[in-house]
Amino acid sequence: MSYRYRLATIFLLAFFLDCLNIFMSTMALPAISLEMGLSTNETTWISHAYILGLTLIMPLSLWFGELLGARKLLTLSMALFALASLLSGFSTQFSALVMARLFQGITGGLMIPVGQAIVFAEFPKTERSKISTMIMVIALIAPAFSPSLGGIILDYASWQWIYFSNIPLALITSFLAWAWIKNASFSKQKSIAQKPDWIGLTLISFSLFLLLTALTQYGQAHQNIWLSHLYFGIGILLFVSYYRYSKKQSNVLVDLSLLTNIRLRASIAVYYAVPGIFTGINFLMIFYLQKILGFTATQTGQLMMLYAFGAFITMMVSGYFYNRIGPKYLLFLGVILHSFGIALLYSVDESLTYLLLIPAYLLMGIGGGLAANVAQTNAMIDFQNETLLKSSVLWNINRQITFCVGIAVLTLIFSLYQAFLPLMQAYQVTFITASLLGLLSLFFIQKLPVHTIS
């Protein structure tokens, strides 16, 4: 195996663990809620703590990478990830489990931007679509199969083993990072790690924390609506303060100036329109299918297999067409197909179930797989060396935030419709609204150049 594919293997294993923890751990939440006597709103923080940990540490990952080197950082992060998984499984109190999950997110967040950056640096521009396809295949496999895997673990063991099951793979990844990564892989330009900008770190970290907290509460805890407004307002204020502050600094942690790059900006918009919106749609569909249409959990989970099948097909061919057609037309096609699949959900009722659900999930998978894969490749295609590392941090922070935003925004929209529409209609109109929101990304896509990547 060549060196660059060894690096890709290490990163993909770590990325798989990340996706697994986002999706499989949700299967454990009902059992944890019952055992610890938690409300639904309290239980969601077990998942959100992991995403917050990932998001808040990513701005520091490059500094740690320069300080320790890629080999030590990736080895240590996966070893600590195994420890955090052990602590999560042994937690007997809610607060301890939330802190263990936060720690688990922090250890995973240390590795992802650095791992992706060193892998992309080893692949020339014309071949980055290959590694992007691998990344998106992993991003499909995890949500498609992890609910079933989590269910098996819960049926034959206990919720603790969902966390314990991460330990072997984390330790294997840690060993491979130590054995395969060369010491000079991380930074070819800097021999001395610069101290992080602690003022900027404080501003961006608290901004992200408050905004994610507000979005979560908007969708789940309407009795605290004014507190959510306060969190959101302060979060926006801190974000604006960080933006103004960062423009005066030469060594920023999250370089928002990179958003002037048209490809990165369009790719971020697509990620909100596709993976972000689908995450929210999938969340609502679980309740719609089971509470309104009487589906079982197994039947609901099987629909994700259709989505994964459709996405897998397009991901296998998108790399071929990326260098021939270019990202603009592929993103147009992917977003339109994805939005049309969501729009089909409007007509799904007791009389038209599988007749519409099957093409809807296939179209969402085909369009979503195409758009997400092309966006992943397109986002960092113009960056090299230090800017590639910084763009990796910005891109991965965005990737984590889209999951929270998708669920929070669509849940909030559904709750507003529910106030004056019958329950089934509220769901259906929310689906139509989501499909239209996805089309807003076409405004950013149409600004992309038509020519292909060379």
Side-chain angles (χ1 to χ4, degrees), residues 239-252:
F239 184 82
V240 172
S241 299
Y242 174 78
Y243 175 70
R244 292 179 176 177
Y245 173 83
S246 66
K247 288 166 62 174
K248 303 174 183 178
Q249 306 301 313
S250 58
N251 183 38
V252 293

Side-chain angles (χ1 to χ4, degrees), residues 138-163:
I138 294 295
L140 270 181
I141 290 174
F145 294 99
S146 56
S148 299
L149 179 59
I152 293 172
I153 292 174
L154 287 170
D155 287 341
Y156 290 95
S158 63
W159 66 263
Q160 288 87 348
W161 283 96
I162 285 183
Y163 299 115

